Amino acid sequence: MGYRLDFGALLQYLSLFLQGTAVTVGRTAVAATIGVALSIGGAAAGGWHGWARRLVGAYVELIRNTPFIVQMFFVFFGLPSLGIRLSAIGAAVLAMTINLTAYAIEIVRAGIEAVPPGQSESGQALGLRPWLVFGLIVLPQALANVYPALVGQIIITMLKSPVVSQIAVVDLTNVADFIQSRNFRAFETYLSFPVIYLLLTILLRRLLDRFGRRLFAGRMP
Protein backbone atom coordinates (compact mmCIF):
# COMPACT_ATOMS: atom_id res chain seq x y z
CA MET A 1 0.00 0.00 0.00
CA GLY A 2 1.12 3.53 -0.71
CA TYR A 3 1.90 6.14 1.90
CA ARG A 4 -1.19 8.02 3.11
CA LEU A 5 -0.83 11.59 4.22
CA ASP A 6 -2.29 12.32 7.63
CA PHE A 7 -1.80 15.92 8.76
CA GLY A 8 -4.54 15.38 11.33
CA ALA A 9 -2.03 13.36 13.34
CA LEU A 10 -0.21 16.62 14.07
CA LEU A 11 -3.20 18.38 15.65
CA GLN A 12 -2.64 16.76 19.02
CA TYR A 13 0.78 18.46 19.09
CA LEU A 14 -0.57 21.92 18.30
CA SER A 15 0.39 23.27 21.72
CA LEU A 16 3.97 22.13 21.17
CA PHE A 17 4.10 23.85 17.79
CA LEU A 18 2.81 27.05 19.41
CA GLN A 19 5.39 26.76 22.18
CA GLY A 20 8.21 26.28 19.68
CA THR A 21 6.96 29.21 17.60
CA ALA A 22 6.83 31.45 20.68
CA VAL A 23 10.40 30.55 21.61
CA THR A 24 11.60 31.18 18.05
CA VAL A 25 9.88 34.57 17.80
CA GLY A 26 10.86 35.59 21.33
CA ARG A 27 14.56 34.85 21.01
CA THR A 28 14.66 36.57 17.60
CA ALA A 29 12.99 39.69 19.02
CA VAL A 30 15.45 39.91 21.93
CA ALA A 31 18.50 39.27 19.76
CA ALA A 32 17.33 41.80 17.15
CA THR A 33 16.63 44.54 19.70
CA ILE A 34 19.95 44.17 21.50
CA GLY A 35 21.92 43.43 18.33
CA VAL A 36 20.74 46.51 16.44
CA ALA A 37 21.40 48.73 19.47
CA LEU A 38 24.93 47.32 19.82
CA SER A 39 25.54 47.65 16.09
CA ILE A 40 24.87 51.38 16.25
CA GLY A 41 27.49 51.75 18.96
CA GLY A 42 29.87 49.49 17.08
CA ALA A 43 29.43 51.36 13.81
CA ALA A 44 30.01 54.68 15.58
CA ALA A 45 33.11 53.34 17.35
CA GLY A 46 34.34 51.87 14.07
CA GLY A 47 34.52 55.41 12.70
CA TRP A 48 37.07 56.39 15.32
CA HIS A 49 40.81 55.99 14.93
CA GLY A 50 42.99 53.81 17.10
CA TRP A 51 42.18 50.80 19.21
CA ALA A 52 38.38 51.14 19.03
CA ARG A 53 38.34 50.88 15.27
CA ARG A 54 40.72 47.92 15.26
CA LEU A 55 38.75 46.14 17.98
CA VAL A 56 35.43 46.53 16.15
CA GLY A 57 37.04 45.45 12.89
CA ALA A 58 38.53 42.33 14.48
CA TYR A 59 35.18 41.42 16.04
CA VAL A 60 33.33 41.80 12.75
CA GLU A 61 35.88 39.73 10.86
CA LEU A 62 35.91 36.99 13.50
CA ILE A 63 32.13 36.56 13.63
CA ARG A 64 31.48 36.91 9.91
CA ASN A 65 34.12 34.32 9.05
CA THR A 66 33.16 31.59 11.50
CA PRO A 67 30.03 29.36 11.46
CA PHE A 68 27.13 30.32 13.69
CA ILE A 69 26.97 26.85 15.20
CA VAL A 70 30.62 27.15 16.30
CA GLN A 71 29.86 30.46 17.97
CA MET A 72 26.87 28.93 19.73
CA PHE A 73 28.89 25.94 20.96
CA PHE A 74 31.57 28.30 22.28
CA VAL A 75 28.98 30.27 24.24
CA PHE A 76 27.20 27.21 25.62
CA PHE A 77 30.10 24.78 26.13
CA GLY A 78 33.16 27.05 26.21
CA LEU A 79 32.15 29.89 28.53
CA PRO A 80 31.39 27.55 31.49
CA SER A 81 35.15 26.84 31.58
CA LEU A 82 35.54 30.50 32.56
CA GLY A 83 32.79 30.23 35.16
CA ILE A 84 30.13 31.77 32.94
CA ARG A 85 27.18 29.38 32.82
CA LEU A 86 24.07 30.15 30.80
CA SER A 87 20.83 28.31 30.29
CA ALA A 88 20.23 26.83 26.84
CA ILE A 89 17.87 29.66 25.84
CA GLY A 90 20.22 32.26 27.30
CA ALA A 91 23.15 30.87 25.33
CA ALA A 92 21.04 30.76 22.17
CA VAL A 93 19.98 34.40 22.53
CA LEU A 94 23.54 35.51 23.29
CA ALA A 95 24.96 33.64 20.30
CA MET A 96 22.27 35.07 18.00
CA THR A 97 22.94 38.58 19.34
CA ILE A 98 26.69 38.26 18.84
CA ASN A 99 26.18 37.00 15.29
CA LEU A 100 23.57 39.58 14.30
CA THR A 101 25.57 42.46 15.75
CA ALA A 102 28.61 41.74 13.58
CA TYR A 103 26.60 41.85 10.36
CA ALA A 104 24.47 44.80 11.47
CA ILE A 105 27.57 46.87 12.30
CA GLU A 106 28.61 46.77 8.66
CA ILE A 107 25.09 47.60 7.51
CA VAL A 108 24.80 50.61 9.84
CA ARG A 109 28.33 51.75 8.98
CA ALA A 110 27.43 51.77 5.30
CA GLY A 111 24.36 53.84 6.10
CA ILE A 112 26.42 56.36 8.08
CA GLU A 113 28.94 56.71 5.27
CA ALA A 114 26.10 57.29 2.79
CA VAL A 115 24.88 60.40 4.63
CA PRO A 116 26.22 63.49 2.80
CA PRO A 117 28.97 65.27 4.79
CA GLY A 118 27.04 68.50 4.41
CA GLN A 119 24.47 67.22 6.88
CA SER A 120 27.06 66.99 9.66
CA GLU A 121 28.58 70.31 8.68
CA SER A 122 25.17 71.99 8.91
CA GLY A 123 24.66 70.65 12.41
CA GLN A 124 28.10 71.81 13.49
CA ALA A 125 27.41 75.23 12.00
CA LEU A 126 24.38 75.46 14.31
CA GLY A 127 26.64 74.89 17.28
CA LEU A 128 25.52 71.32 18.06
CA ARG A 129 27.93 69.03 19.84
CA PRO A 130 29.33 66.14 17.76
CA TRP A 131 27.28 63.51 19.60
CA LEU A 132 24.11 65.53 19.00
CA VAL A 133 24.96 65.90 15.33
CA PHE A 134 25.39 62.14 15.12
CA GLY A 135 22.29 61.24 17.13
CA LEU A 136 19.87 63.80 15.73
CA ILE A 137 21.03 64.28 12.16
CA VAL A 138 23.29 61.51 10.88
CA LEU A 139 21.92 58.41 12.61
CA PRO A 140 18.22 58.81 11.68
CA GLN A 141 19.12 59.26 8.01
CA ALA A 142 21.57 56.36 8.11
CA LEU A 143 19.05 53.97 9.68
CA ALA A 144 16.33 55.03 7.25
CA ASN A 145 18.62 54.27 4.31
CA VAL A 146 19.64 50.81 5.52
CA TYR A 147 16.44 49.78 7.31
CA PRO A 148 15.43 47.22 4.64
CA ALA A 149 18.87 45.63 4.90
CA LEU A 150 18.57 45.45 8.69
CA VAL A 151 15.17 43.79 8.37
CA GLY A 152 16.66 41.27 5.97
CA GLN A 153 19.49 40.51 8.39
CA ILE A 154 17.07 39.98 11.27
CA ILE A 155 15.11 37.50 9.18
CA ILE A 156 18.30 35.71 8.12
CA THR A 157 19.25 35.40 11.78
CA MET A 158 15.88 33.83 12.57
CA LEU A 159 16.13 31.41 9.65
CA LYS A 160 19.59 30.14 10.59
CA SER A 161 18.76 29.86 14.28
CA PRO A 162 17.22 26.34 14.17
CA VAL A 163 20.69 25.02 14.98
CA VAL A 164 20.05 26.10 18.59
CA SER A 165 18.07 22.88 18.89
CA GLN A 166 21.51 21.25 19.12
CA ILE A 167 21.78 22.58 22.68
CA ALA A 168 18.26 21.43 23.57
CA VAL A 169 16.43 24.74 23.11
CA VAL A 170 12.76 23.88 22.64
CA ASP A 171 12.27 25.80 19.41
CA LEU A 172 10.44 24.75 16.25
CA THR A 173 13.21 22.41 15.14
CA ASN A 174 13.38 20.70 18.51
CA VAL A 175 9.59 20.37 18.58
CA ALA A 176 9.51 18.90 15.06
CA ASP A 177 12.15 16.31 15.99
CA PHE A 178 10.21 15.38 19.12
CA ILE A 179 6.89 15.02 17.29
CA GLN A 180 8.41 12.94 14.50
CA SER A 181 9.96 10.60 17.08
CA ARG A 182 6.49 10.05 18.57
CA ASN A 183 4.21 9.71 15.54
CA PHE A 184 6.74 8.64 12.88
CA ARG A 185 5.01 10.93 10.37
CA ALA A 186 8.25 12.43 9.07
CA PHE A 187 6.82 13.82 5.81
CA GLU A 188 3.91 15.69 7.41
CA THR A 189 6.00 16.90 10.36
CA TYR A 190 8.93 18.24 8.38
CA LEU A 191 6.63 19.77 5.77
CA SER A 192 4.66 21.66 8.43
CA PHE A 193 7.89 22.89 10.00
CA PRO A 194 9.17 24.94 7.00
CA VAL A 195 5.64 26.19 6.26
CA ILE A 196 5.53 27.72 9.75
CA TYR A 197 8.91 29.38 9.15
CA LEU A 198 7.66 30.71 5.82
CA LEU A 199 4.59 32.24 7.46
CA LEU A 200 6.71 33.70 10.26
CA THR A 201 9.09 35.25 7.74
CA ILE A 202 6.29 36.86 5.72
CA LEU A 203 4.55 38.15 8.84
CA LEU A 204 7.76 39.47 10.42
CA ARG A 205 8.82 41.27 7.26
CA ARG A 206 5.43 42.96 6.89
CA LEU A 207 5.34 44.02 10.53
CA LEU A 208 8.87 45.43 10.42
CA ASP A 209 8.23 47.17 7.10
CA ARG A 210 5.13 48.84 8.53
CA PHE A 211 7.01 49.79 11.69
CA GLY A 212 9.87 51.25 9.63
CA ARG A 213 7.59 53.37 7.47
CA ARG A 214 6.03 54.88 10.57
CA LEU A 215 9.35 55.38 12.35
CA PHE A 216 11.10 56.86 9.32
CA ALA A 217 8.12 58.56 7.68
CA GLY A 218 9.29 60.51 4.65
CA ARG A 219 12.90 59.30 5.01
CA MET A 220 12.87 55.74 3.71
CA PRO A 221 13.67 55.35 0.01
Side-chain angles (χ1 to χ4, degrees):
M1 295 179 64
Y3 185 83
R4 294 184 178 181
L5 296 178
D6 184 12
F7 288 97
L10 301 179
L11 293 179
Q12 61 180 310
Y13 300 103
L14 180 59
S15 61
L16 284 178
F17 272 116
L18 293 177
Q19 178 185 353
T21 301
V23 171
T24 297
V25 172
R27 71 167 186 244
T28 301
V30 174
T33 301
I34 300 175
V36 171
L38 291 176
S39 70
I40 293 173
W48 302 343
H49 294 287
W51 65 270
R53 184 172 186 174
R54 290 194 294 271
L55 182 62
V56 171
Y59 166 73
V60 170
E61 288 300 312
L62 173 64
I63 301 302
R64 293 181 64 184
N65 291 286
T66 53
F68 172 66
I69 192 171
V70 174
Q71 300 161 18
M72 183 188 66
F73 282 167
F74 174 78
V75 171
F76 189 65
F77 296 113
L79 291 184
S81 300
L82 303 178
I84 304 174
R85 299 184 180 278
L86 299 172
S87 64
I89 189 66
V93 171
L94 179 57
M96 290 174 64
T97 301
I98 290 172
N99 187 270
L100 172 62
T101 300
Y103 287 91
I105 283 175
E106 289 299 283
I107 294 174
V108 175
R109 183 184 61 81
I112 292 174
E113 293 180 351
V115 176
Q119 298 290 322
S120 297
E121 295 169 358
S122 298
Q124 294 171 0
L126 294 173
L128 296 177
R129 295 180 179 275
W131 64 273
L132 282 176
V133 172
F134 177 79
L136 299 178
I137 299 176
V138 176
L139 184 59
Q141 296 182 66
L143 292 180
N145 289 335
V146 300
Y147 186 77
L150 284 175
V151 170
Q153 189 58 50
I154 291 171
I155 290 174
I156 288 173
T157 300
M158 181 184 71
L159 292 179
K160 67 183 178 182
S161 68
V163 296
V164 302
S165 63
Q166 297 297 313
I167 58 173
V169 174
V170 186
D171 70 333
L172 276 172
T173 308
N174 185 282
V175 166
D177 290 339
F178 174 81
I179 294 174
Q180 191 277 329
S181 70
R182 292 299 185 274
N183 64 10
F184 303 104
R185 310 295 298 188
F187 183 85
E188 294 91 330
T189 300
Y190 291 117
L191 179 61
S192 301
F193 162 60
V195 168
I196 293 175
Y197 264 108
L198 174 62
L199 295 176
L200 283 178
T201 299
I202 295 173
L203 179 60
L204 180 59
R205 186 179 296 278
R206 290 185 177 180
L207 287 175
L208 290 178
D209 284 347
R210 180 173 297 182
F211 173 76
R213 295 197 178 280
R214 289 186 178 181
L215 183 63
F216 303 111
R219 289 179 173 174
M220 288 183 63

